[in-house]
Amino acid sequence: MSFEKRNSSKDFMLPSLPTAKCSIPRAVTVEKRSHGSHRLSSPSPYKNLQSSVPISETHTKLKHLIPPYVSAKTWAVYNTITGQILFSQGAEERREIASLTKIMTCYLSLKLAEKYNLPLSKLVTVSTRASRITGTSANLQAGDELSIQDLIYGLMLPSGNDAAYALSEFFGTYLGGVKPVRAFVVEMNKMAEEIGLKNTKFRNPHGMSLRPNFSTAKDVCIMASHALIDKLFSEIVNTKEYICKISKENSREIVWKSTNKLLGKGVDGVKTGQTPRAGNCLCARFVYGKVPLIITVLACKTKNSRWVEVPRLAEWTYSKI
């Protein structure tokens, strides 16, 4: 694979070469494509190298630093111990994040339950409006009664937009104001500011594109790292299947399965996301190396490419650290 193909962004953070004598006299120029992405226009980044190091050795050193090709428009690899981005491409470029939004919805719900001394066993009644939210669903019906904890599982495993709306309605009433959902979203943005998400803006609790939420690969990594400190959050996002018993006139059980296909494969969370405008997104924590990594990819080419490309980035990063 050529250097041009594997570095499809102008801003991949390439570490300095180990020898001071090695330089590239002609800067690799960036050619902007019509659809907004970039590619490196130099056909051979090794051709014009002037160095005391043999060309073959220099080629090997450069190739060693090149990340594997991924189709994501932007991505970031985050060191959870140091709180630093290790490698990235467009890490601070704002994009829609779809259901990665629910990381904040879940985290804030847990924090508000703690703040207002609400037991997670407290029952919540699903409103008609919540039950009618389109998109990914936890299959809730108007009048369903289930606990806060059940709702959070319905939020994070099947990525239920209905569960997100029900949680925001419920906790929004404790935040004051005549519009509980709006009050909850305001609190989401306050929390984002508190934990240092500089390029994130929430407009809804579920991530649908009608009023889109924007963030960056870097911010999503930071958001996930804060949420994963919460023990229950970590347990929920690492759960493959959950059975919920719904209480109402016609009681029933619903089985929710996680949309994260990497669970148990060196990954213990965090969240998937997908809308036509946001593309296919994933935030995952890898724990099979010495350093836990959080990797976020935004706008992958296909739904299934995430399951291949994100582990590829993890494996490559572990080989460098």
Side-chain angles (χ1 to χ4, degrees), residues 92 94 192-201 214-216 218-220 222:
E92 297 189 51
R94 296 185 81 197
E193 187 176 353
E194 287 177 11
I195 64 177
L197 308 187
K198 298 180 179 179
N199 294 295
T200 299
K201 177 67 175 180
F214 290 93
S215 188
T216 67
K218 177 181 179 179
D219 276 8
V220 171
I222 295 171

Side-chain angles (χ1 to χ4, degrees), residues 139-150:
N139 296 317
L140 302 178
Q141 298 175 9
D144 281 350
E145 291 185 349
L146 57 163
S147 68
I148 295 172
Q149 182 166 306
D150 285 341

Side-chain angles (χ1 to χ4, degrees), residues 16-282:
S16 301
L17 291 174
T19 172
K21 292 183 179 181
C22 183
S23 61
I24 301 178
R26 289 209 304 263
V28 178
T29 58
V30 177
E31 178 179 340
K32 191 168 184 178
R33 294 179 177 175
S34 60
H35 55 72
S37 63
H38 301 77
R39 67 178 178 88
L40 298 177
S41 60
S42 174
S44 175
Y46 312 117
K47 184 177 180 180
N48 298 309
L49 284 173
Q50 295 177 348
S51 173
S52 58
V53 181
I55 290 297
S56 59
E57 183 178 342
T58 303
H59 184 287
T60 301
K61 289 178 181 291
L62 278 170
K63 187 175 182 180
H64 177 74
L65 296 170
I66 301 172
Y69 169 77
V70 295
S71 63
K73 298 291 185 183
T74 67
W75 56 267
V77 180
Y78 180 86
N79 184 325
T80 61
I81 295 177
T82 64
Q84 295 178 324
I85 298 294
L86 298 177
F87 302 100
S88 69
Q89 175 178 293
E92 297 189 51
E93 179 183 326
R94 296 185 81 197
R95 301 190 64 87
E96 286 191 40
I97 59 170
S99 286
L100 298 188
T101 295
K102 295 183 175 91
I103 296 172
M104 178 60 80
T105 303
C106 179
Y107 182 50
L108 179 58
S109 294
L110 292 171
K111 288 295 183 183
L112 291 176
E114 181 180 346
K115 178 180 179 179
Y116 294 108
N117 296 315
L118 299 172
L120 296 181
S121 59
K122 184 175 178 61
L123 293 180
V124 178
T125 301
V126 177
S127 70
T128 299
R129 186 162 187 175
S131 69
R132 291 178 178 176
I133 294 293
T134 57
T136 51
S137 173
N139 296 317
L140 302 178
Q141 298 175 9
D144 281 350
E145 291 185 349
L146 57 163
S147 68
I148 295 172
Q149 182 166 306
D150 285 341
L151 272 177
I152 291 176
Y153 274 98
L155 171 78
M156 299 302 283
L157 271 64
S159 197
N161 293 339
D162 44 4
Y165 202 88
L167 285 165
S168 63
E169 283 184 319
F170 174 76
F171 285 109
T173 60
Y174 288 87
L175 295 169
V178 295
K179 296 184 177 181
V181 175
R182 180 176 293 181
F184 186 86
V185 172
V186 168
E187 200 69 18
M188 290 173 71
N189 287 304
K190 287 182 180 179
M191 179 67 76
E193 187 176 353
E194 287 177 11
I195 64 177
L197 308 187
K198 298 180 179 179
N199 294 295
T200 299
K201 177 67 175 180
F202 295 109
R203 294 186 175 90
N204 64 66
H206 40 65
M208 293 177 66
S209 293
L210 186 60
R211 298 189 70 235
N213 299 325
F214 290 93
S215 188
T216 67
K218 177 181 179 179
D219 276 8
V220 171
C221 287
I222 295 171
M223 176 171 62
S225 70
H226 280 272
L228 285 163
I229 295 173
D230 187 284
K231 183 178 179 181
L232 181 57
F233 180 95
S234 294
E235 290 177 0
I236 291 170
V237 297
N238 194 30
T239 301
K240 293 183 179 181
E241 184 177 294
Y242 184 82
I243 299 175
C244 176
K245 294 183 179 181
I246 303 292
S247 299
K248 60 176 298 183
E249 291 182 4
N250 296 317
S251 61
R252 68 191 191 281
E253 286 187 351
I254 303 178
V255 178
W256 292 320
K257 294 184 179 182
S258 175
T259 58
N260 189 349
K261 295 183 179 181
L262 294 181
L263 290 182
K265 300 177 181 179
V267 169
D268 67 351
V270 176
K271 189 71 186 73
T272 62
Q274 191 275 328
T275 64
R277 284 165 56 177
N280 301 282
C281 307
L282 176 64

